[in-house]
Amino acid sequence: MIETLQEWLQNPLLTRWDGGPWQATVVTLYMTVVTMALTVLLGLPLGIALFETDDSPSPVVRRINQVTGFVVNVLRSFPFFILIIALIPITSAITGRSTGPNAAMIALTIAAVPFAARLFELNLREIPAGKIEAVRMMGADRWQVIRQVLVPEALPGIIGSITTTTIAVIGYTAMAGSVNAGGLGQLAYNRGYTGYQTEIIIVTVLLLVAIVILVQQIGDRLSRAVDHRARTV
């Protein structure tokens, strides 16, 4: 067992930067951070719109809500591996290539936005209706309600949803590695699976687990920090 561990640690691929797990980790983090920035930028307004238009008195608005909700549900249920392959013509047209982290982030964002939007919508639904009605009775318009009630009250849950989505995106990046998106997924597939280097697979799994645990801890702390309910108990 000790001799096997020593052989693994002596593998030059595990210690070098170029093409090794450390460079792959940076690429995975790059894809995750950029994807999540785009996901929050697009998904949060979408989640708010789904919540606000759900009970609109206008039949046209309700119809738009139903169509948008249907599209969101379809994209949420689409297997990511199939999605990234189906989007290759689009990613090639936008980025000029069908592989690499920048191309993969298009599919990652398309997969993550509807997933996060539904979570954000659920976070908003957890707000007591009385708080929303009280602000509206004081003369607040729709944008004031969103800024002063919806987002602040749902912020702990929103952070939790961002954390959950981030962890899902990390898993997506690993799957994207099988189509040469880069990162730990590609390293595990090319060097570990097809290259029959078990130590590479073990190291990439450990690194992914460490990243997920770190993301979860940061998300939990941020959620507790902004939760005024926890401070008043």
Side-chain angles (χ1 to χ4, degrees):
M1 180 66 180
I2 296 177
E3 292 180 357
T4 303
L5 180 60
Q6 290 176 343
E7 291 177 359
W8 287 4
L9 295 177
Q10 290 172 358
N11 187 331
L13 186 59
L14 297 179
T15 57
R16 75 187 192 192
W17 170 261
D18 185 23
W22 310 117
Q23 184 184 40
T25 300
V26 172
V27 175
T28 294
L29 292 175
Y30 164 69
M31 288 191 289
T32 302
V33 170
V34 175
T35 298
M36 285 309 304
L38 294 172
T39 298
V40 174
L41 183 65
L42 300 174
L44 184 56
L46 178 58
I48 294 174
L50 288 171
F51 173 77
E52 282 289 293
T53 59
D54 184 49
D55 57 351
S56 173
S58 170
V60 176
V61 174
R62 288 199 305 272
R63 184 59 179 171
I64 294 174
N65 174 276
Q66 293 172 355
V67 172
T68 304
F70 175 78
V71 174
V72 167
N73 290 336
V74 169
L75 291 175
R76 282 180 61 204
S77 61
F78 217 86
F80 177 73
F81 186 75
I82 298 176
L83 178 66
I84 195 172
I85 295 175
L87 291 175
I88 286 178
I90 297 176
T91 57
S92 299
I94 295 176
T95 65
R97 55 181 301 177
S98 60
T99 61
N102 292 330
M105 283 189 294
I106 296 175
L108 288 169
T109 302
I110 292 176
V113 166
F115 179 80
R118 278 302 188 193
L119 293 179
F120 295 148
E121 182 188 8
L122 291 175
N123 297 145
L124 296 173
R125 292 188 183 281
E126 293 176 355
I127 302 174
K131 289 187 177 182
I132 301 175
E133 291 300 323
V135 175
R136 286 175 176 169
M137 290 178 63
M138 289 188 293
D141 58 29
R142 184 180 297 272
W143 294 111
Q144 288 175 326
V145 171
I146 293 173
R147 292 195 308 268
Q148 298 176 12
V149 180
L150 294 184
V151 174
E153 289 293 326
L155 189 56
I158 289 173
I159 293 176
S161 296
I162 292 173
T163 302
T164 301
T165 307
T166 302
I167 293 173
V169 168
I170 293 171
Y172 290 161
T173 64
M175 285 187 283
S178 61
V179 290
N180 296 324
L184 291 169
Q186 181 173 333
L187 180 67
Y189 183 77
N190 291 347
R191 301 281 186 161
Y193 178 68
T194 61
Y196 298 102
Q197 299 186 60
T198 307
E199 62 271 28
I200 299 300
I201 296 179
I202 293 176
V203 169
T204 53
V205 168
L206 291 176
L207 287 171
L208 286 170
V209 169
I211 293 172
V212 168
I213 291 175
L214 180 62
V215 168
Q216 187 65 62
Q217 289 181 344
I218 293 174
D220 290 343
R221 292 186 179 183
L222 289 176
S223 181
R224 287 194 296 266
V226 301
D227 192 354
H228 62 86
R229 295 169 299 182
R231 294 194 295 268
T232 57
V233 174

